[in-house]
Amino acid sequence: MLLQQLVTVFRCHWIRASGNIIEKINRVKVKKGEQFDPVTFKSISKVRSPGCKKFSLVAKLLALQWKLQANQKAQRLERLFMLCGRQYTQKMIQRLGKFSQRLMALSQARARSRLGFMMGAVVFSWDRDRITEDDLQNVIDDMDHIQHQCDADKKYEHYMDTWELIIDKEHLKLWRKPLPSSDLYEYKVYGTFYDIPPTAFFMVQIDCDYRKQWDKLVIDLDVIAKETEDEAGSEVIHWVTHYPFPMYSRDYVYVRRQRVDYEKKVMVLVARSVEHPLCPVNDQYVRVSQYISEMVIQPHGEFEEVTFW
């Protein structure tokens, strides 16, 4: 239906343009001894009247020919649209349906967040929302199971069977798994670096002020709440980042915790989205309500060596 309307507008535009030319030609009053100028729609002198009449007739014929060609081009364009429509309409409808469902879900989530904040329902609790020691240990164990998939005892041989392997290289592996009741995926990456010390890499991840300097997409990145004064506890981060046009910028509110175990030579960083009364949903940004980030860094030798996985 939309394509037919576009073709109709296109055809009417061309027909109207050709009709305007004929109308302007008919309105021109050419005096004896003058010629008609098709650019200015005025008369110019030093030509006999019979020649002017012939020129006017030729101009009318050209306008009619233009009208005919416009009609033919509109018909061809309409047939082309119809042909493409038969092939792609169903896919477009499905994609538009999924997109509209996402927009509705997003608007409902934002409405619930606003209503909850107004009624005092957005309550953050460290007892419930903090990242625990068990959470950190589970992430470390997950890394250990991936590393030992090919061991002789085959204890973890099928550990990643529910994940789809996307990239399989010597120093880089990437898996993905669909999220329940969603078109989105969660990803898991395992790789090795040979050009940066693990401690430097770790500090880049947790230093919010330095992130503002090297990441030009950052609009805002601040710690808005801390469980304890030292770095042992969890903290709440508000992060706003640019997204490419035509998408709106995104903002994240998440709780984060890190741990460095010098005895076992492992560093772990875990973050997941939360709701916090200091950062209600803002119409200026799109709130990312599902966010999980888990990172484990293990040096091949010592923390100061320039290699880790």
Side-chain angles (χ1 to χ4, degrees):
M1 187 64 181
L2 178 59
L3 298 178
Q4 292 178 346
Q5 292 176 357
L6 290 174
V7 172
T8 302
V9 172
F10 172 77
R11 179 183 292 148
C12 291
H13 175 74
W14 278 58
I15 292 175
R16 190 180 299 114
S18 59
N20 290 340
I21 293 177
I22 297 175
E23 184 181 353
K24 288 184 178 181
I25 292 174
N26 290 332
R27 288 203 307 263
V28 173
K29 296 180 179 180
V30 182
K31 298 180 181 179
K32 185 177 180 179
E34 296 182 343
Q35 182 186 13
F36 172 72
D37 186 350
V39 178
T40 62
F41 293 101
K42 296 181 180 179
S43 58
I44 55 178
S45 58
K46 298 182 181 179
V47 179
R48 296 179 179 178
S49 178
C52 177
K53 291 181 179 180
K54 291 181 180 180
F55 182 83
S56 178
L57 178 60
V58 171
K60 290 182 179 181
L61 293 175
L62 289 175
L64 291 173
Q65 180 67 21
W66 184 24
K67 182 177 179 180
L68 178 61
Q69 291 182 354
N71 238 335
Q72 292 175 347
K73 290 185 177 181
Q75 291 175 0
R76 292 174 183 174
L77 185 61
E78 183 176 9
R79 287 195 296 269
L80 178 61
F81 281 164
M82 293 303 177
L83 178 62
C84 294
R86 295 191 191 99
Q87 297 180 3
Y88 299 106
T89 299
Q90 192 62 30
K91 292 183 178 179
M92 290 177 64
I93 291 175
Q94 293 176 354
R95 291 181 180 178
L96 286 174
K98 292 181 179 179
F99 181 69
S100 62
Q101 290 176 359
R102 292 181 185 177
L103 286 180
M104 291 178 61
L106 176 62
S107 62
Q108 291 172 358
R110 297 174 74 175
R112 287 195 300 268
S113 179
R114 293 194 198 97
L115 181 62
F117 180 73
M118 293 172 60
M119 300 179 62
V122 180
V123 178
F124 177 85
S125 170
W126 286 115
D127 292 335
R128 183 190 67 239
D129 296 321
R130 70 158 60 95
I131 295 175
T132 65
E133 287 290 333
D134 289 339
D135 295 332
L136 298 176
Q137 189 58 48
N138 289 336
V139 176
I140 296 175
D141 293 341
D142 179 73
M143 174 76 163
D144 182 72
H145 298 343
I146 293 176
Q147 290 177 326
H148 294 87
Q149 286 184 94
C150 300
D151 287 356
D153 58 9
K154 298 184 179 181
K155 182 178 180 180
Y156 304 111
E157 180 181 8
H158 301 288
Y159 182 70
M160 298 296 293
D161 283 356
T162 59
W163 294 74
E164 177 187 1
L165 184 61
I166 303 298
I167 299 177
D168 187 9
K169 296 184 178 180
E170 183 179 359
H171 302 299
L172 176 64
K173 297 183 184 297
L174 172 65
W175 297 268
R176 74 174 184 179
K177 183 172 67 173
L179 292 172
S181 303
S182 173
D183 295 329
L184 304 178
Y185 290 86
E186 59 177 323
Y187 293 85
K188 189 170 295 189
V189 183
Y190 178 80
T192 303
F193 290 81
Y194 295 99
D195 55 355
I196 181 174
T199 50
F201 185 84
F202 181 72
M203 292 304 299
V204 168
Q205 305 301 318
I206 64 175
D207 192 336
C208 294
D209 293 333
Y210 185 54
R211 177 71 177 264
K212 297 177 184 178
Q213 300 178 26
W214 64 264
D215 190 349
K216 302 305 179 182
L217 298 179
V218 169
I219 300 176
D220 195 12
L221 180 62
D222 294 298
V223 178
I224 62 173
K226 285 189 174 184
E227 182 182 12
T228 59
E229 291 300 325
D230 56 21
E231 297 182 356
S234 301
E235 56 188 5
V236 179
I237 310 291
H238 182 220
W239 173 32
V240 185
T241 181
H242 282 291
Y243 263 58
F245 180 84
M247 293 184 288
Y248 286 98
S249 298
R250 265 56 171 172
D251 79 323
Y252 303 73
V253 178
Y254 58 92
V255 60
R256 180 182 76 176
R257 186 178 179 184
Q258 64 266 3
R259 187 177 77 188
V260 179
D261 191 330
Y262 291 95
E263 182 179 350
K264 296 181 179 179
K265 297 180 181 179
V266 62
M267 294 178 284
V268 58
L269 176 64
V270 177
R272 60 169 176 253
S273 56
V274 294
E275 293 184 355
H276 198 281
L278 294 180
C279 288
V281 174
N282 190 332
D283 289 336
Q284 187 177 0
Y285 311 115
V286 175
R287 173 63 55 85
V288 178
S289 57
Q290 288 183 308
Y291 173 69
I292 298 176
S293 175
E294 300 173 344
M295 181 181 299
V296 178
I297 302 173
Q298 288 184 320
H300 292 175
E302 300 298 328
F303 279 124
E304 293 75 17
E305 295 182 11
V306 189
T307 179
F308 69 92
W309 55 61

